[in-house]
Amino acid sequence: MDKEEIDFQVIEATDPLKVMEDMLGKGFNSPKGPLWRARLVRAREGIQCPMPELQAAFPYTRSLVLGNHHGIADGTSNLKIVDLFLQILDDVIEGKTINDEEQLGESEAGVETEKLLSAVEAELEQDPEYLQSLLNEARNENKEPILTVQAYPPPEGVEVKTKVMIKDLDKNTTKDFLKRCKDEGVTVHSGFTALLNGSIVDILEETGMKQEAYHIKETHSINMRRYWPGDTSRALGCHISMFPNNVKTVANWRDNFWEYARTVHQSLHKSINEKSPVEFFYILWKLIGDALEETFSEELVPEHEYATANLRNADWLVPTDGKHVRLTHLVRATGNWKDCWVHMFHTFRGRFIYCLCYSAHIVAEETASHFVDQLFKNLKSVI
């Protein structure tokens, strides 16, 4: 930018969730910037610290809502930036001198990902028939109807907007869920994905939809840095891909839930280990071609039942416990205008934190609320 501009406002005693939703609905001036904004929300009267044990030492509660264009940062980058911000803020309050010349990270263009994509392209082009079959499969996959939309028709007259619902588990329930997943030989991501699918089946069948098994179109985000060589700890930017997962969910999924969760786990990790996200990334952009405007149009019907964005244990990305400032709660959200819902989750300070980002013009608020209730009812029932 020729001239630095900072989009920052202080907002008096309001609901941070509303501020978050408003921010998700605002675009950015991509050619000129800035590509990020911040809102400091003063706490309303009676709001308690999410970590009561810190209330005496840290009596003032504020919510900082940070938003950025997804083209410049992914979840990993955002959390690293949050931690750096906390360090700097603590030093400012302490009165320390801040070195503006110190570089705290590198904005990576994704050269290593481009190398991975080039390798996949070279391999696929040696077998044109297989490449064409992948393209055809992707095209046909996008034409399959979304079950949730069939069972719960979109509300009429609702503006295109991302709405957010947040649900935290207490420390004891979080500990029990994590332990049960480990004991059953699945990751937390796999266990939670299995619960997402089972809960979708539950709300589908409540409407009278009856099938022996359901094909729920999942898609999962993944950090592409995992495939890069060397140390990636300072690599900032947006370096994610998505990949689909196709596992049959039977109507009586409760009868042997953890066996089903192991099936989900095996399917997910087979894709990850075989670098399927790289191949999917290549096929996606091969399909999109030059039709970017159409692809990201608000008029598109949903292509997936849901997407996930899991940052696992966020403590390692935001480890700072400052002398003057402590982060006591951490929520992530993303704009979602074309899928039914995006499930974002991680653990932080011993709590499982979940955020549902749903398209208000596709999913009614009461449907979203009912789904979240069913999801966490099911979670507690399997541990």
Side-chain angles (χ1 to χ4, degrees):
M1 299 172 66
D2 295 332
K3 179 183 178 183
E4 184 179 46
E5 294 182 28
I6 296 175
D7 185 353
F8 172 72
Q9 296 175 20
V10 177
I11 300 176
E12 297 297 333
T14 189
D15 185 354
L17 182 61
K18 182 180 183 302
V19 177
M20 181 186 294
E21 289 179 341
D22 289 345
M23 191 179 289
L24 289 171
K26 293 181 179 179
F28 294 90
N29 188 334
S30 299
K32 296 182 179 180
L35 297 181
W36 66 276
R37 56 176 64 101
R39 304 290 183 263
L40 182 67
V41 184
R42 298 190 190 277
R44 292 171 295 170
E45 187 175 352
I47 295 296
Q48 298 297 312
C49 175
M51 297 174 64
E53 64 272 21
L54 293 179
Q55 187 69 49
F58 297 86
Y60 303 104
T61 300
R62 300 286 185 272
S63 295
L64 181 65
V65 185
L66 296 171
N68 61 268
H69 191 300
H70 215 331
I72 64 169
D74 54 20
T76 301
S77 295
N78 285 333
L79 264 59
K80 288 181 178 178
I81 291 168
V82 166
D83 192 62
L84 292 168
F85 165 74
L86 292 170
Q87 294 177 34
I88 293 170
L89 180 59
D90 207 68
D91 287 346
V92 168
I93 296 172
E94 182 70 11
K96 293 182 180 179
T97 301
I98 307 300
N99 180 5
D100 289 340
E101 302 300 319
E102 182 182 2
Q103 190 72 9
L104 302 176
E106 285 84 34
S107 181
E108 294 287 350
V111 173
E112 294 299 334
T113 297
E114 291 177 6
K115 291 178 182 177
L116 291 166
L117 293 171
S118 295
V120 165
E121 181 178 37
E123 183 178 342
L124 290 176
E125 287 187 345
Q126 291 180 9
D127 190 346
E129 290 186 6
Y130 177 60
L131 173 58
Q132 191 59 48
S133 71
L134 290 176
L135 291 168
N136 291 339
E137 182 181 347
R139 290 190 186 98
N140 292 332
E141 177 77 9
N142 292 343
K143 293 178 182 178
E144 291 185 10
I146 300 301
L147 297 175
T148 303
V149 175
Q150 291 182 63
Y152 294 89
E156 297 182 359
V158 177
E159 65 174 319
V160 176
K161 184 176 182 179
T162 302
K163 296 282 287 181
V164 172
M165 290 186 182
I166 300 168
K167 178 77 174 181
D168 294 358
L169 289 180
D170 60 71
K171 287 186 177 182
N172 287 336
T173 307
T174 298
K175 184 179 178 181
D176 291 344
F177 178 51
L178 270 57
K179 182 179 185 302
R180 186 65 190 270
C181 288
K182 183 177 181 180
D183 290 347
E184 297 289 348
V186 303
T187 61
V188 172
H189 186 94
S190 299
F192 197 67
T193 298
L195 283 165
L196 290 172
N197 290 344
S199 301
I200 288 174
V201 169
D202 287 349
I203 68 168
L204 292 176
E205 296 207 326
E206 288 177 355
T207 68
M209 183 182 291
K210 298 292 182 182
Q211 299 176 192
E212 289 186 4
Y214 297 80
H215 173 58
I216 296 169
K217 297 176 68 176
E218 325 160 16
T219 182
H220 303 267
S221 62
I222 191 167
N223 183 353
M224 293 294 284
R225 297 171 185 83
R226 69 183 300 137
Y227 299 124
W228 295 6
D231 179 16
T232 63
S233 61
R234 289 172 59 88
L236 303 179
C238 186
H239 306 293
I240 56 174
S241 179
M242 307 295 293
F243 70 100
N245 190 52
N246 298 297
V247 176
K248 179 175 68 175
T249 306
V250 296
N252 59 342
W253 60 272
R254 283 183 179 79
D255 290 353
N256 204 343
F257 171 74
W258 288 105
E259 186 60 37
Y260 167 62
R262 281 187 282 274
T263 301
V264 172
H265 176 86
Q266 291 163 5
S267 177
L268 286 169
H269 285 262
K270 183 175 185 291
S271 293
I272 292 170
N273 293 334
E274 294 178 354
K275 297 185 180 179
S276 295
V278 183
E279 182 178 275
F280 182 77
F281 200 171
Y282 173 74
I283 294 299
L284 174 67
W285 287 105
K286 190 82 172 175
L287 282 176
I288 289 175
D290 297 324
L292 281 174
E293 184 174 345
E294 178 185 347
T295 300
F296 294 102
S297 162
E298 293 181 349
E299 306 303 321
L300 284 181
V301 295
E303 294 179 355
H304 305 100
E305 207 79 46
Y306 68 82
T308 69
N310 172 22
L311 280 182
R312 301 185 294 175
N313 183 0
D315 291 352
W316 75 276
L317 286 168
V318 192
T320 295
D321 274 339
K323 179 180 177 182
H324 304 282
V325 180
R326 296 285 177 92
L327 184 62
T328 58
H329 196 238
L330 176 66
V331 176
R332 298 179 298 122
T334 186
N336 173 28
W337 70 96
K338 56 181 291 189
D339 286 330
C340 294
W341 21 46
V342 176
H343 307 285
M344 309 189 74
F345 49 97
H346 57 265
T347 56
F348 183 69
R349 302 291 194 258
R351 290 180 172 87
F352 184 88
I353 299 175
Y354 166 80
C355 181
L356 173 65
C357 304
Y358 66 98
S359 298
H361 65 294
I362 299 174
V363 178
E365 183 174 356
E366 55 269 26
T367 303
S369 180
H370 176 51
F371 173 78
V372 172
D373 289 343
Q374 186 67 30
L375 172 64
F376 282 90
K377 177 184 175 182
N378 287 335
L379 184 151
K380 292 175 181 177
S381 74
V382 300
I383 59 176

